[in-house]
């Protein structure tokens, strides 16, 4: 009897199944680093464009404000996504997915809607859109997996 219970415990060492997504967590980590680098590059390009190009001051100010607005939106999206993935809870992942819409909208603005769009900005915006798209797809899959598990409903 002692052996049977010991072997049974070895076959099922965890009382629950692991639902977290390693690729999603890697994408969130890469997303944090990419956002920091993107924001610093975008900030430097805004300063350069404001100094060198004939930028209308009203446009430059509103576009610069939108650049600062990306910080709380992306921080909330990445925080909730990573927290939901690590804790295997669907609610934070859903919040992250909801924050994806304004984050993508801002990236599209920086790609198409600015007064001046530099080639480097376009490349970085497309890279950001691809990263956000991958995070959204894997986040949706993770949220569905978490919702299907009865312990997390």
């Amino acid at each position: 009897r002692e052996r049977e219970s010991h072997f049974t415990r070895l076959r099922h060492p965890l009382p629950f199944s692991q639902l977290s997504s390693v690729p999603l967590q890697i994408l969130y980590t890469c997303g944090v680093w990419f956002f920091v680098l993107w924001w610093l590059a975008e900030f430097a390009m805004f300063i350069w464009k404001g100094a060198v190009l004939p930028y209308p001051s009203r446009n430059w100010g509103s576009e610069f404000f939108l650049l600062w607005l990306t910080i709380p939106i992306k921080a909330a999206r990445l925080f909730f996504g990573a927290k939901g993935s690590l804790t295997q809870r669907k609610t934070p992942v859903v919040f992250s997915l909801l924050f994806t819409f304004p984050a993508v909208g801002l990236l599209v603005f920086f790609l198409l809607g600015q007064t001046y769009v530099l080639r480097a900005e376009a490349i970085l915006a497309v890279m950001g859109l691809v990263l956000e798209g991958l995070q959204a797809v894997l986040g949706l899959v993770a949220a569905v997996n978490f919702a299907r598990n009865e312990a997390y409903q």
Side-chain angles (χ1 to χ4, degrees):
R1 281 187 181 249
E2 193 72 36
R3 287 185 186 177
E4 288 178 37
S5 63
H6 177 70
F7 288 123
T8 305
R9 276 186 270 157
L10 287 178
R11 274 189 257 153
H12 303 290
L14 296 175
F16 60 90
S17 63
Q18 184 165 350
L19 302 172
S20 64
S21 172
V22 173
L24 178 61
Q25 200 60 39
I26 290 170
L27 281 176
Y28 282 136
T29 303
C30 291
V32 169
W33 285 104
F34 177 80
F35 174 66
V36 169
L37 295 175
W38 173 87
W39 197 92
L40 291 172
E42 195 70 39
F43 181 81
M45 287 184 269
F46 259 106
I47 299 299
W48 180 82
K49 289 189 297 187
V52 173
L53 299 174
Y55 224 104
S57 61
R58 184 176 44 141
N59 290 10
W60 190 87
S62 61
E63 291 175 11
F64 199 64
F65 170 75
L66 289 176
L67 179 64
W68 283 95
L69 187 63
T70 60
I71 293 174
I73 291 172
K74 296 262 191 160
R77 189 183 72 74
L78 292 168
F79 171 76
F80 283 124
K83 181 179 179 181
S85 176
L86 290 174
T87 60
Q88 300 179 6
R89 305 282 183 195
K90 68 180 178 191
T91 305
V93 175
V94 170
F95 280 144
S96 174
L97 291 172
L98 292 175
F99 276 110
T100 300
F101 293 107
V104 166
L106 285 168
L107 278 174
V108 169
F109 171 78
F110 287 113
L111 177 62
L112 303 173
Q114 293 185 83
T115 304
Y116 297 107
V117 179
L118 303 176
R119 183 172 292 151
E121 288 178 306
I123 291 168
L124 288 172
V126 168
M127 289 171 61
L129 287 170
V130 168
L131 187 60
E132 300 238 356
L134 290 172
Q135 288 172 348
V137 169
L138 289 180
L140 187 61
V141 169
V144 169
N145 283 339
F146 299 159
R148 283 186 180 169
N149 191 336
E150 294 177 3
Y152 298 104
Q153 287 185 0

